[in-house]
Amino acid sequence: MILRIDLSSQVPIYQQIRDRVVEAVAAGELAQGSPLPSTRQLAADLGINFHTVNKAYDLLRQEGLLILNRKTGAVVQRDARTGPPPAGFADEWAARLRTLLAEAVAQGLDGPEALAACRAALTTFAGGVVDVTDQGEQA
Amino acid sequence: MILRIDLSSQVPIYQQIRDRVVEAVAAGELAQGSPLPSTRQLAADLGINFHTVNKAYDLLRQEGLLILNRKTGAVVQRDARTGPPPAGFADEWAARLRTLLAEAVAQGLDGPEALAACRAALTTFAGGVVDVTDQGEQA
DNA sequence: CTCTTTGTTCTATAAGTAATAGAGCAGAGC
DNA sequence: GCTCTGCTCTATTACTTATAGAACAAAGAG
């Protein structure tokens, strides 16, 4: 698990860590049961404080993507989560999606271009996109 | 221009104002030249400080969506912007899109469902989505 | 010419967040 | 015993968010 973070970014470090893990899970790079480095280890690797990693892991646990305990360390919980997504996740997510897409449209991207960008991003994830334009399974 | 903001949200007020304006521009509710209320007026309507509105308007100006001056007030700049989107906008936007989509996939949404959500969001904007599945212009 | 409204700028304050740091504890492995 | 693990606690520094009040120049209305 190689984690690239940008210390000069405006995005908080703990958020970047969370984002990279979420993407790795979606891409299938981190499957069910995959171990993540310990908070102290990852902090040392990235040259940051272990409390910052702790915050990222805690966030991921709240989202149901990580299980933490002293025995097993931090392991990915992709399938068979203890509970479904937090209540209201779908609505809140759709609202954020709409805002993000609106941003691109307002900047001059048209509908089909934006949709193509969505399809392109999704094809980088496990399972890909099974679309009417290419019926064959590509996963 | 009715602006709904949630004072109890975790999202900063100035960010909510920006987001709603961006969505209104994308949806075509705010066309080129549309006036926005003055910072003091909108602040009074929303029951917040005018500095907060000022920050939102300033953000929108930096993004090239708003022109501010003493003569005309705040007017929407959708087309014929002074400059194209800030350098690197497309890449940065695509990265945020990927993170957002990854979040949904990691939470159990599959590719086609996520893409459908994107299409649904885009159809609420001006121009809509002209897809291979429905060739007819719907704008 | 007043009076008001506009965008804009300045300082200031209180509350919260982000990141750092150090110390400590309980459970598990060697 | 020693080390490593997740976890918790306090603490500090810097930045962000939102508030507030004051002031200025340019424009419009009366």
Side-chain angles (χ1 to χ4, degrees):
Chain A
M1 182 64 199
I2 299 163
L3 254 174
R4 274 175 234 276
I5 60 166
D6 178 9
L7 294 176
S8 66
S9 166
Q10 296 295 93
V11 182
I13 299 174
Y14 79 93
Q15 185 78 48
Q16 292 185 51
I17 295 173
R18 188 218 79 127
D19 288 350
R20 295 300 86 73
V21 171
V22 168
E23 289 170 28
V25 168
E29 296 163 17
L30 287 177
Q32 168 74 18
S34 299
L36 257 62
S38 74
T39 54
R40 287 174 175 88
Q41 183 62 51
L42 182 55
D45 290 353
L46 297 177
I48 60 176
N49 194 279
F50 85 94
H51 288 103
T52 306
V53 178
N54 212 334
K55 189 167 182 176
Y57 279 15
D58 203 57
L59 235 179
L60 288 161
R61 177 175 55 178
Q62 283 173 241
E63 299 179 44
L65 292 180
L66 217 54
I67 286 191
L68 304 169
N69 65 56
R70 277 180 265 264
K71 300 186 189 184
T72 57
V75 297
V76 172
Q77 180 85 358
R78 196 208 197 298
D79 311 307
R81 275 189 295 279
T82 45
F89 169 79
D91 286 349
E92 187 263 350
W93 178 81
R96 278 191 290 146
L97 174 65
R98 183 166 196 269
T99 301
L100 187 64
L101 292 172
E103 205 171 313
V105 171
Q107 289 293 341
L109 211 68
D110 66 15
E113 287 171 332
L115 193 62
C118 295
R119 189 181 285 112
L122 285 167
T123 53
T124 67
F125 298 143
V129 183
V130 183
D131 202 12
V132 284
T133 56
D134 50 338
Q135 295 278 14
E137 296 279 340
Q138 55 188 9
Chain B
M1 181 64 197
I2 301 164
L3 253 173
R4 272 174 235 277
I5 62 167
D6 178 9
L7 293 176
S8 66
S9 166
Q10 296 295 95
V11 182
I13 299 174
Y14 77 94
Q15 185 77 48
Q16 292 185 50
I17 296 173
R18 188 217 79 128
D19 290 349
R20 294 301 86 74
V21 171
V22 168
E23 289 169 28
V25 169
E29 297 163 17
L30 288 177
Q32 168 74 20
S34 299
L36 257 61
S38 75
T39 54
R40 287 174 175 88
Q41 184 60 53
L42 182 55
D45 290 353
L46 297 176
I48 61 175
N49 194 279
F50 85 94
H51 287 104
T52 306
V53 177
N54 211 334
K55 188 166 185 178
Y57 279 14
D58 202 57
L59 235 178
L60 288 162
R61 176 174 56 180
Q62 283 173 241
E63 299 178 44
L65 292 179
L66 217 54
I67 286 191
L68 303 170
N69 65 54
R70 277 179 265 265
K71 300 186 188 183
T72 57
V75 297
V76 172
Q77 180 84 359
R78 196 205 197 301
D79 311 309
R81 275 188 295 279
T82 46
F89 169 80
D91 286 348
E92 188 263 350
W93 179 81
R96 277 190 291 145
L97 174 66
R98 185 168 193 270
T99 301
L100 188 64
L101 291 172
E103 204 171 314
V105 171
Q107 288 293 342
L109 211 69
D110 65 17
E113 286 170 333
L115 193 63
C118 295
R119 189 181 286 114
L122 284 167
T123 52
T124 67
F125 298 143
V129 183
V130 183
D131 202 11
V132 284
T133 56
D134 50 338
Q135 294 280 13
E137 294 279 341
Q138 56 187 11

